[in-house]
Amino acid sequence: MEKSTAMPDGYTYSYVLNGCAKEGLFREGQQLHARILKNWSLINVFVQTNLVNLYSCTGGEYGVHDARKVFDEMIEKNVVTWNSLLLGYFRNGDVDEALRNFDEMPDKNVVSWTIVIAGCTQNGRCQQALALFCLMQRRCVEFDQVTLVAVLSACAELGALDLGKWIHSRVVESARFRIEQVLVSLYNALIHMYASCGEIEEAYRVFEGMSRRNSVSWTSIITGFAKQGYAHEALTIFQQMESWGGNDVRPDEITFLGVLFACSHAGYVNEGFRYFRCMKETWGVEPRIEHYGCMVDMLSRAGLFDEAVALVETMPMKPNEAVWGALLGGCKIHKNVRLASSVAQKLAVELEPDRAVGYFVLLSNLYAADKRWKDVVIMRQKMFGMGVKKPPGQSKIEADGTIHNFLSSDLSHKHACSVYEMLRLLTSQAKLQCHQPIISDEELIV
């Protein structure tokens, strides 16, 4: 176009800047910005909004500062401009600044609310995300399916099953009256929510009822079954996924993490190696350190320590604390104190004290189980000298619409006595129960 007689105007630059933002072409976008600054007639609210979006999306760590500079120079701003800036702050992890700007917005639309709900969820502020969704409803702002996807992600993290079920009922109602076609991503979010809340049967019903599925749909249900301890079901569905075909259904890195996790926790060593090999050979998926961690965990749980150590030593990348932790976990199961001591010494050198403390506690417990009391004292004294202690385990559960937080050994909850009594009963019953598949092979025909 530049070589022709046609002259690009502001709208031309808006489209090209938008293309740069979508493709991550930061340098090219900067060059366009320089050209715009040489010709002030090109500048309008659309061009400047696309510049804010460009810097927010592609500028990296300092992009939001450049986006803010363009934003502050604008005489006229619209809701899209504000939304682009909000995205930049959330991508940069600056949640407080994003929320401050959200409060200052003169006008907000459903996209604005969705951005802050999703941004809070992605930055670990799920409780705040649900509070914003409640505020959105109180202000009678009509939400859409993309909003519900973000809310369901927060529900999954918090275990907010009641709200998740309410959203599901709205989705079913929408589908029944054909108000609008339900997005595949919304069904995927429902599967993830139910699986994360322990309702794996309900998750499977959602999956089974989907008329159209993509790779995320299959991956979500496979991972859900694997994390709930149903390895057979997870692997059966993966085999169906392999034979399903189509460009929309291909296993990726996350799919194989779910598959290897299932093999690890079920002790399917041969199957685990087979799937690990087929990742690259069949599907062209390069194993990452997380996949090697699953393999080390699988071998360690099975007591195959020589093979586990050999795999760690031949990995194409440096093992991280998760890999060493997997090896230590196997040592705890099989009481391999010698190897655990060697691994803990490596971690003591490589990790900061606060990150290594959990492994020191595990080693101390191993020494205690082996009645090596002198080593227990030495390890505890070492931890005391470093000034660190293991942070308590934490869990969350929803009851009557309220999410309760629990810390290990915490007695501050008003129903603590009843909680611990129920925990004791559940623990004793769990020891008596044997695992039964919740879905038969016949029911797994999709």
Side-chain angles (χ1 to χ4, degrees):
M1 182 179 183
E2 286 185 313
K3 291 176 182 178
S4 73
T5 56
M7 291 294 292
D9 59 13
Y11 295 103
T12 314
Y13 277 94
S14 292
Y15 286 119
V16 181
L17 284 168
N18 187 39
C20 289
K22 287 183 176 179
E23 294 298 321
L25 303 175
F26 179 63
R27 291 297 178 192
E28 289 82 350
Q30 281 187 312
Q31 291 168 10
L32 287 169
H33 191 183
R35 294 189 186 189
I36 291 166
L37 291 175
K38 290 179 180 179
N39 186 354
W40 285 92
S41 65
L42 296 172
I43 295 176
N44 58 42
V45 65
F46 304 107
V47 170
Q48 290 176 305
T49 296
N50 276 288
L51 282 169
V52 171
N53 185 51
L54 169 78
Y55 288 118
S56 294
C57 292
T58 65
E61 184 180 351
Y62 300 104
V64 71
H65 300 294
D66 295 327
R68 183 79 210 197
K69 187 177 179 182
V70 175
F71 181 86
D72 289 338
E73 291 171 352
M74 295 177 67
I75 298 172
E76 180 188 357
K77 304 176 181 76
N78 58 28
V79 69
V80 180
T81 318
W82 283 91
N83 290 345
S84 297
L85 189 65
L86 285 179
L87 268 174
Y89 281 119
F90 279 120
R91 283 185 173 140
N92 202 40
D94 196 345
V95 179
D96 291 332
E97 189 62 26
L99 292 175
R100 189 182 68 79
N101 278 271
F102 178 70
D103 289 337
E104 292 176 358
M105 288 179 67
D107 297 301
K108 303 177 180 75
N109 60 12
V110 64
V111 177
S112 315
W113 287 92
T114 301
I115 287 171
V116 293
I117 291 169
C120 285
T121 302
Q122 291 159 8
N123 284 278
R125 297 198 186 181
C126 297
Q127 201 92 44
Q128 201 163 6
L130 295 191
L132 283 162
F133 181 62
C134 292
L135 180 61
M136 181 183 183
Q137 290 178 283
R138 286 200 300 272
R139 294 188 179 177
C140 301
V141 180
E142 191 68 32
F143 52 80
D144 61 15
Q145 294 189 47
V146 181
T147 314
L148 295 181
V149 170
V151 176
L152 284 169
S153 296
C155 291
E157 290 297 316
L158 294 173
L161 183 59
D162 287 347
L163 178 55
K165 285 182 174 179
W166 178 82
I167 292 173
H168 189 190
S169 68
R170 292 291 299 261
V171 173
V172 171
E173 184 180 333
S174 175
R176 182 183 299 132
F177 293 102
R178 300 190 180 278
I179 299 170
E180 59 180 332
Q181 186 175 1
V182 180
L183 298 173
V184 174
S185 58
L186 183 50
Y187 280 124
N188 293 344
L190 282 168
I191 294 170
H192 175 58
M193 183 276 298
Y194 277 123
S196 298
C197 293
E199 297 282 341
I200 192 63
E201 292 181 80
E202 194 61 44
Y204 182 71
R205 273 194 283 272
V206 173
F207 174 79
E208 199 176 31
M210 292 175 69
S211 59
R212 187 166 64 88
R213 307 181 184 114
N214 58 17
S215 294
V216 177
S217 316
W218 291 87
T219 298
S220 297
I221 194 63
I222 289 167
T223 305
F225 272 122
K227 287 187 175 181
Q228 294 298 327
Y230 296 99
H232 173 71
E233 289 84 349
L235 298 182
T236 300
I237 292 177
F238 177 70
Q239 289 160 11
Q240 294 170 355
M241 181 184 184
E242 286 185 301
S243 60
W244 192 263
N247 293 328
D248 286 344
V249 179
R250 287 181 61 85
D252 58 13
E253 294 95 339
I254 301 173
T255 315
F256 279 105
L257 276 177
V259 169
L260 294 177
F261 185 92
C263 292
S264 171
H265 285 255
Y268 295 164
V269 176
N270 292 333
E271 291 88 342
F273 270 109
R274 180 164 60 85
Y275 287 124
F276 187 69
R277 284 193 299 269
C278 88
M279 276 182 67
K280 187 173 182 180
E281 294 174 2
T282 306
W283 296 102
V285 178
E286 195 72 38
R288 299 191 314 220
I289 194 164
E290 294 87 353
H291 301 100
Y292 280 98
C294 281
M295 293 298 291
V296 171
D297 184 57
M298 179 186 72
L299 293 168
S300 301
R301 284 173 180 270
L304 302 172
F305 293 108
D306 290 340
E307 290 86 344
V309 171
L311 183 61
V312 171
E313 291 174 346
T314 57
M315 285 169 53
M317 68 284 288
K318 182 181 177 181
N320 61 9
E321 60 186 281
V323 174
W324 292 119
L327 195 55
L328 266 179
C331 292
K332 180 184 178 183
I333 294 170
H334 296 280
K335 297 180 173 58
N336 190 332
V337 181
R338 181 188 59 80
L339 180 58
S341 181
S342 173
V343 172
Q345 288 174 11
K346 289 180 183 292
L347 288 167
V349 173
E350 296 180 7
L351 298 181
E352 294 293 324
D354 288 341
R355 292 169 60 196
V357 61
Y359 304 112
F360 293 153
V361 172
L362 191 153
L363 182 59
S364 175
N365 293 341
L366 269 173
Y367 285 146
D370 202 40
K371 295 182 171 55
R372 292 170 54 172
W373 306 116
K374 185 178 179 181
D375 291 323
V376 172
V377 173
I378 292 171
M379 182 57 61
R380 294 288 177 173
Q381 287 177 339
K382 183 176 182 179
M383 290 172 60
F384 180 78
M386 295 166 66
V388 295
K389 61 180 181 178
K390 184 179 182 294
Q394 183 178 3
S395 61
K396 298 177 182 179
I397 190 168
E398 183 187 42
D400 298 327
T402 303
I403 297 170
H404 300 265
N405 294 316
F406 293 95
L407 295 174
S408 178
S409 303
D410 179 23
L411 297 173
S412 62
H413 195 276
K414 62 181 180 179
H415 298 302
C417 292
S418 300
V419 168
Y420 280 102
E421 176 61 21
M422 180 57 70
L423 180 61
R424 186 188 65 77
L425 290 171
L426 286 171
T427 303
S428 61
Q429 288 185 25
K431 290 177 179 177
L432 299 173
Q433 296 292 326
C434 60
H435 172 73
Q436 295 291 336
I438 63 169
I439 298 175
S440 66
D441 288 345
E442 291 78 11
E443 290 176 306
L444 274 168
I445 298 172
V446 180

